Amino acid sequence: MNPWKDSAGRAFRSMLPPESAPRRVLRATRGAARSFRDTLHTQEPEQVHEGPGLTDYAEWRAEQPALEPLPSDHQETTFVVVVESSAHPDDRERDAVAATVASVAAQRSVTARTVVAVTGTPLAEVLSGAEEQFAMFLTAGSVLDPAALEQVAKEHRVDPVRRVIAFDTDQVTSTGERIAPRFRPAWSPEIMLGVNYLGRAFAIRAAAAAADERATLDSHGIWKLLLGTELSDAVVGLIPHILLSTPAAPIRDATEQDAAMVQRSLRERGEAATAQVSNGIVRVAFELETWPSVSIVIPTKHSTANLDRLLPSLAGTDYPSFDVTVVDNGGETEEHEAWYAALDAGLPIRHVWWDEEPFNYSRVNTVTAAATDGDVLVFLNDDTEIVDPDWLRELVGMLHREGVGTVGYQHRNDDGLVQHGGVMIGPGGFAANLFAGMSPDDDSLLGPVRWYRNTLAVTAACVAIRRELFDEVGGFDERFQLTGSDVVLGLDQIIRGRRNVVIPFDAVRHFESLTRGAHAPRADSFASYWRYHPWLAAGDPYISPNVCRLTEVPRFAAADDPSPLQLAMAGLGREYRSDAQKSTISEDATALMSLATISAEEVAAVVESHASTTGRREVRTINWLLPGFDMPFFGGVNTTFRIADKLAREHGVVNRFLINGHPNNEFYESAIVAAFPGLAGSEVGHYYGDDAGIAEVPPADVAIATFWLTAVDVAKTPGTPRKFYLIQDYEPSFYPASTMFAMTEQTYKLGLYGICNTESMHDIYAGGYGGTATYFTPAVDRGIYHPIGRRERGDDEPVTIFAYARDHFRNCWELVFAALSEIKRRHGDHVRIIAAGAKYLPPSADFIDLGLLDYRATGRLYRETDIGVTMQISRHPSYLPLELMASGVAMVAPDSDWFRWLFHPDENARTTMMTYDDVVAGIDELVLDAQKRRAIQAAGVATIDAAHSDWDAALDHLYDYLCDPEAEAIPSTAPRTIAP
């Protein structure tokens, strides 16, 4: 135990004035936590839901806000709505048709053409001569919400590449009661194999519907239309609102005619398959010309009872070529060897012993798989049982569909209930098994349990993956000891644009207890948090936002449900807070004043220490002083750890990371390892920025500040002869001219040696403030950010523009938002604007709002982008433009002298003044001038290739500088006047 941790909470709270913003936030957060805890445990029974979420549809509907009307002058999308009727309707059907037609006529802001057509009519005939952009096909009696077409038009306007736009539905009984809502997932092509899960709840490009000569106006034909249209998640939009109510009716089971249609449609697409009806859906068995070899890996702790059940069941597998390896960590003894020698499982079994400690499930599987030869890897738990001889053909056949990453089965346990129906992220703030505890014949808000499913991941109790895809992601992530690595294996496929599939048929049973997941090691919980975070924050695309994300059995989302991210952070002992910018400059200055203070004598002591520490001194230990942080993957925090990792790898430096504030060492240690596994084992601690706390910071050869608040702390830290400041932005400009600006600027006058991120930061520190400094030129990770795979956009396709949507002063988001809104107004369907970084966009914005993304997924997004917009007002352009340029994106960026090291006007970027008119003009020019846009794209890639593609090379000189800063410092050649 470190003595400098004592009395921490009291010391920190005493530094915050009673009515300061930080003190109020702390008090409010603790009060909210108590309130939430009390709600869970002390409410009267009639006030408490049975767990999170709601079970009553009417109660859920009462919580839903009304869809606000959108500006009528924005409604340019055109529709034809086809209403299906029998050839000889009776009075009741005529009334039903009239009700549907009336609901179309009642649409607000949108006028649609209505066509009544006879069931079975070819769609090409129904739509002959249609000039509208989108078509809808409704059954008689279906009623559109008055905002339905308005919402579909909005989705099309936001993303003009959409070919299909789907939405949610419910049913209406003969008495007018609303029942049976159906909440749809993101585009799920494997669900579509077994059932038309969209029903009629979609609008499709009319030209695409008219081009399908075999599709007819009936349930069978509409399903055929969706199967035959080239669709992907990029062109299928989903509006998570109930926009259509249909007459109450039971779920339609698939027919043999449907199965024949699915089989024919697949063969027309070049996919050989047979299809038959099974349990009310179409079951598809894909046929491969050559069946790949399969290696099955089974880890066990010498559970002979499990193996005696599983291995004989494997012997009945009908598959041309597979091998089985059992990896046993139950101890290599004569008795155990004798058991394998006597084993008669009906097929050859190879067994290997595993004795590495501590036990790591991920490593066991990855290492064992590397010693096998199969083209396909299948991982099986020992507590499974094969009950269908065709299980492996079905698994491998599905695995070889284009775009599929992993495949598994819906598992049932010994009582016949579902144990696993796919992985969802959310319950408890982590991951869980969808449909756990339900009957396979149950219905749900997401559709019947018996459907195929696309999910974020499948359980490694039975998962198949092609070896090249497994190797591509490095196998199972060994930062997970027992649980979670199978989820990450699936997420890694999602990040790469692939899908994971759950086959719903009873082929592989799993006898694991439903509660076993509660026993995950705490370290796995931290590792999970860092990999699950984007989906915890932004949502699981396969779980509708209308469905509670906190329960495996689908329930309605309740307005007072905590978010999965809140639960995850609470479980890890981390305070949850919004990252939206708050304009409390005066209050923050008052709260921080006592923490950011330093005397002239203390600054003189820094200068004296440096003057008396001469010559080269090898650095063996470094204290890194950091502010609290939430994410280790981005920006300056990531660069800090990157430098530390290089120093440890190449020079044996021992890094100590000390975080300012409340103790949460487990959280920060796991964060650092999540970003840089090589830093595992580094000491992670905390300190408080008062004199007593700083005095107890352990000695080191070097101390490095990483943020302006920690610069004062480094200056006052005892026992450290040389003190440095990692300067990654002109931090005074984060604030208006104020006390905050003054306190921040003063940190450049403390006598610390500067390590400057970019030459511009060096010019500021060395030239503007007279500091001794070196600098490095930042690079990008070319494994993620590269132009390989970029597709040349056709002249008829919209230009895609990306903007970083983070509401912080220095991002000038107000300017970017206004300029892009004007660009969208001018160009309409000819541009699509993507915003990512945080959820800040108003509902009226005509932008695609992606929210938070996993950084590993951003490279693929950027390669689909034509123009990037960044308007940093500080002296550092951030890493975003480098990453975009590396991915082949043409940048629109500020015309600033501070950015000349990166941007060359009208060569590798379109630079603009920081004015609305000029920013609009710059973006507009690149939208209209494809030739110039492509030239800037090529020059941007060349810039990165030439000077920003190797982080190791960029940081090579820093160790020598730390050992002898006076000798290795780079002199200032361009003194500048720094103004607020």
Side-chain angles (χ1 to χ4, degrees), residues 613-617 722 753 772-774 957 960-971:
T613 307
T614 58
R616 183 179 179 90
R617 297 194 178 192
R722 281 173 171 162
Y753 291 122
T772 300
T774 190
H957 65 293
D960 287 336
Y961 175 71
L962 292 173
C963 293
D964 194 352
E966 296 289 348
E968 301 293 333
I970 299 175

Side-chain angles (χ1 to χ4, degrees), residues 163-164 187 204 225-227 229-233 235-236 269:
R163 296 178 197 163
V164 168
W187 172 238
I204 187 171
L225 171 65
L226 291 168
L227 278 175
T229 303
E230 289 292 331
L231 299 176
S232 67
D233 56 358
V235 300
V236 179
R269 294 168 56 91

Side-chain angles (χ1 to χ4, degrees), residues 545-838:
N546 297 319
V547 173
C548 178
R549 295 177 55 206
L550 307 179
T551 59
E552 297 92 329
V553 175
R555 299 162 66 103
F556 298 102
D560 59 355
D561 283 341
S563 75
L565 185 58
Q566 285 176 290
L567 293 182
M569 296 184 77
L572 301 180
R574 179 74 174 168
E575 177 187 337
Y576 174 82
R577 62 181 183 272
S578 169
D579 61 354
Q581 180 73 37
K582 298 293 188 293
S583 301
T584 55
I585 298 299
S586 178
E587 291 179 323
D588 287 351
T590 302
L592 294 171
M593 198 174 302
S594 62
L595 300 179
T597 188
I598 189 169
S599 67
E601 290 77 13
E602 288 169 319
V603 173
V606 173
V607 175
E608 172 57 29
S609 175
H610 287 175
S612 62
T613 307
T614 58
R616 183 179 179 90
R617 297 194 178 192
E618 297 299 319
V619 173
R620 291 291 170 259
T621 57
I622 297 179
N623 281 343
W624 297 88
L625 272 61
L626 297 99
F629 60 90
D630 291 325
M631 274 287 125
F633 305 113
F634 306 103
V637 171
N638 186 264
T639 304
T640 297
F641 298 137
R642 185 182 296 278
I643 296 171
D645 180 67
K646 181 178 175 67
L647 295 173
R649 280 187 290 110
E650 298 186 2
H651 303 284
V653 170
V654 175
N655 294 291
R656 180 187 291 121
F657 301 102
L658 306 176
I659 292 87
N660 188 346
H662 287 297
N664 201 333
N665 298 346
E666 277 186 301
F667 180 86
Y668 291 119
E669 182 178 357
S670 69
I672 294 167
V673 174
F676 290 93
L679 291 174
S682 300
E683 182 180 344
V684 177
H686 70 279
Y687 75 99
Y688 292 93
D690 60 352
D691 290 343
I694 293 172
E696 296 188 14
V697 170
D701 296 329
V702 161
I704 303 179
T706 60
F707 176 63
W708 74 269
L709 268 174
T710 64
V712 171
D713 299 340
V714 163
K716 296 194 289 187
T717 298
T720 307
R722 281 173 171 162
K723 303 177 180 186
F724 295 80
Y725 190 174
L726 178 58
I727 303 168
Q728 303 199 64
D729 206 335
Y730 185 57
E731 291 178 329
S733 68
F734 291 8
Y735 313 100
S738 60
T739 299
M740 289 293 290
F741 184 102
M743 290 193 298
T744 307
E745 185 186 37
Q746 188 61 44
T747 63
Y748 296 160
K749 304 174 183 179
L750 303 179
L752 305 178
Y753 291 122
I755 306 171
C756 301
N757 188 341
T758 75
E759 185 176 359
S760 291
M761 290 301 102
H762 175 269
D763 288 348
I764 291 172
Y765 191 68
Y769 293 99
T772 300
T774 190
Y775 70 87
F776 61 90
T777 301
V780 298
D781 182 348
R782 297 314 297 271
I784 297 175
Y785 305 108
H786 57 77
I788 300 170
R790 280 191 68 92
R791 180 179 60 84
E792 186 66 30
R793 194 171 303 281
D795 292 338
D796 60 338
E797 295 182 79
V799 173
T800 298
I801 305 170
F802 176 86
Y804 180 49
R806 186 80 182 274
D807 183 17
H808 191 285
F809 300 139
R810 67 181 182 273
N811 295 322
C812 295
W813 172 241
E814 301 87 351
L815 175 60
V816 172
F817 179 79
L820 289 175
S821 296
E822 172 61 16
I823 291 295
K824 184 65 176 177
R825 187 196 68 77
R826 290 185 184 185
H827 296 284
D829 291 355
H830 297 294
V831 298
R832 57 197 295 265
I833 299 169
I834 297 175

